Amino acid sequence: MAALISARVHSVCLTYKCRSSPLLQVTSLRVPKLSPKHPLTSRRGLKSFFIMAASLQSEKTISTTQFANAIPSEEVLKIWHSAGAVCFDVDSTVCLDEGIDELADFCGAGKAVAEWTTKAMSGSVPFEEALAARLSLFNPSLKQVQEFLEKRPPRISPGIAELIKKLMDKGIDVYLISGGFRQMINPVALQLGIPLENIFANQLLFGNSGEFAGFDTGEPTSRSGGKATAVQQIRKVHDYRSLVMIGDGATDLEARRPGGADLFICYAGVQLRETVAAKSDWLVFDFEELLTHLTA
């Protein structure tokens, strides 16, 4: 059952329902002095900070000094406004869930696979090792994947459809770059109006009888550094003035490098991975914030 977070900021009390199980009390959230026109001075803007608590697994005190990049710099906003392309991670970013964890849970191996996913997203083990280990725990058949998609369709994150539509309306190309699987990402792309050729993801392989036969190791996203490689491939083909990567994990952060993404935005509206958040150019907890700055 969703927990209820009670947050207090200078006598302003708001509530927010989250997917985490503990009851979190955030009692010392301090907001720095901002100009009256800054988005964070509104109740909508402050919501970003409260969503951060929804991603925490244990009770702790949070202050904005911990994540100064929650307030974007002028340089960050300049790149965001001039982006020719925006690349999104899928699991825990465009979608609310980690696709492989959900599929594993459907197949009866949810807990063990989720532990490996945490390791992969934190960067503590090579991604290709974590991917192979997770799949080996349940070896999904083609029939299981089809039944999974039918019974548990992907859950889209709040605000992502509006943001992607606005990006496309402004002539900005949108890509999905994921360590997940095309079989599960294609329906998401179709729902959001993203061309299937703009997907960089892994491919599950099956035998003649539909039995699990591994995954395509030729996909760049099947290994560590793969998202960075995918972004570099995109830039070689297209002459974008700037390119932005948005995601929640260490593999997304890797995309920010010379010849790759100019800007990495950490989206922590589903999962807050502190080491990734601390190294990001801009930390957001709500896609509305990106939309607001895009239209400003």
Side-chain angles (χ1 to χ4, degrees):
M1 180 179 292
L4 187 66
I5 294 175
S6 176
R8 298 181 179 179
V9 182
H10 301 303
S11 300
V12 178
C13 296
L14 298 177
T15 59
Y16 184 80
K17 289 186 177 180
C18 73
R19 300 173 64 240
S20 302
S21 56
L23 180 64
L24 304 177
Q25 297 292 331
V26 183
T27 58
S28 60
L29 186 61
R30 297 181 180 275
V31 179
K33 287 187 176 181
L34 302 171
S35 67
K37 294 184 179 180
H38 197 288
L40 289 178
T41 58
S42 67
R43 286 172 66 95
R44 176 180 295 178
L46 287 174
K47 177 183 174 184
S48 298
F49 292 99
F50 303 141
I51 296 177
M52 174 162 55
S55 299
L56 301 180
Q57 299 303 312
S58 61
E59 183 174 342
K60 60 173 66 179
T61 298
I62 304 168
S63 70
T64 54
T65 57
Q66 183 180 356
F67 294 113
N69 54 357
I71 301 175
S73 67
E74 289 184 9
E75 181 61 26
V76 165
L77 291 177
K78 182 178 179 181
I79 296 174
W80 177 238
H81 291 149
S82 66
V86 177
C87 301
F88 289 91
D89 172 41
V90 177
D91 296 338
S92 295
T93 301
V94 170
C95 294
L96 289 171
D97 306 300
E98 290 288 332
I100 191 170
D101 291 0
E102 292 297 305
L103 177 59
D105 181 67
F106 182 79
C107 296
K111 183 177 180 181
V113 170
E115 292 174 354
W116 271 101
T117 296
T118 299
K119 294 178 183 179
M121 293 302 100
S122 65
S124 61
V125 297
F127 182 79
E128 57 270 30
E129 179 183 332
L131 182 59
R134 286 180 288 177
L135 287 171
S136 70
L137 290 171
F138 65 107
N139 297 322
S141 67
L142 177 59
K143 182 179 179 181
Q144 285 177 312
V145 173
Q146 292 172 335
E147 289 180 349
F148 167 73
L149 290 172
E150 192 175 305
K151 296 179 180 179
R152 296 192 191 179
R155 300 190 303 155
I156 304 299
S157 294
I160 189 62
E162 293 80 1
L163 175 59
I164 288 177
K165 182 179 184 304
K166 187 63 178 180
L167 288 168
M168 291 181 166
D169 288 347
K170 291 174 71 67
I172 300 170
D173 291 338
V174 174
Y175 295 84
L176 298 180
I177 303 181
S178 174
F181 305 107
R182 292 179 183 272
Q183 288 91 339
M184 298 158 65
I185 294 172
N186 285 355
V188 175
L190 292 172
Q191 181 178 342
L192 296 173
I194 299 171
L196 295 184
E197 58 266 27
N198 285 13
I199 297 175
F200 288 76
N202 294 313
Q203 182 82 19
L204 288 171
L205 303 177
F206 303 98
N208 293 333
S209 300
E211 73 277 13
F212 177 69
F215 60 94
D216 185 356
T217 56
E219 293 283 359
T221 52
S222 67
R223 52 191 177 271
S224 294
K227 290 185 180 179
T229 300
V231 170
Q232 289 172 331
Q233 290 178 358
I234 291 170
R235 297 207 78 157
K236 286 181 180 179
V237 176
H238 304 278
D239 187 25
Y240 294 123
R241 55 189 178 274
S242 60
L243 184 148
V244 176
M245 180 73 200
I246 301 175
D248 70 297
T251 56
D252 306 308
L253 175 62
E254 291 175 340
R256 185 191 61 195
R257 61 173 60 178
D262 301 288
L263 182 74
F264 171 60
I265 299 174
C266 179
Y267 174 69
V270 178
Q271 290 287 338
L272 173 62
R273 308 185 198 280
E274 295 190 22
T275 55
V276 176
K279 295 177 182 179
S280 67
D281 298 300
W282 186 6
L283 175 62
V284 301
F285 302 90
D286 192 328
F287 285 122
E288 272 191 40
E289 184 175 356
L290 295 179
L291 184 60
T292 297
H293 283 292
L294 189 67
T295 57

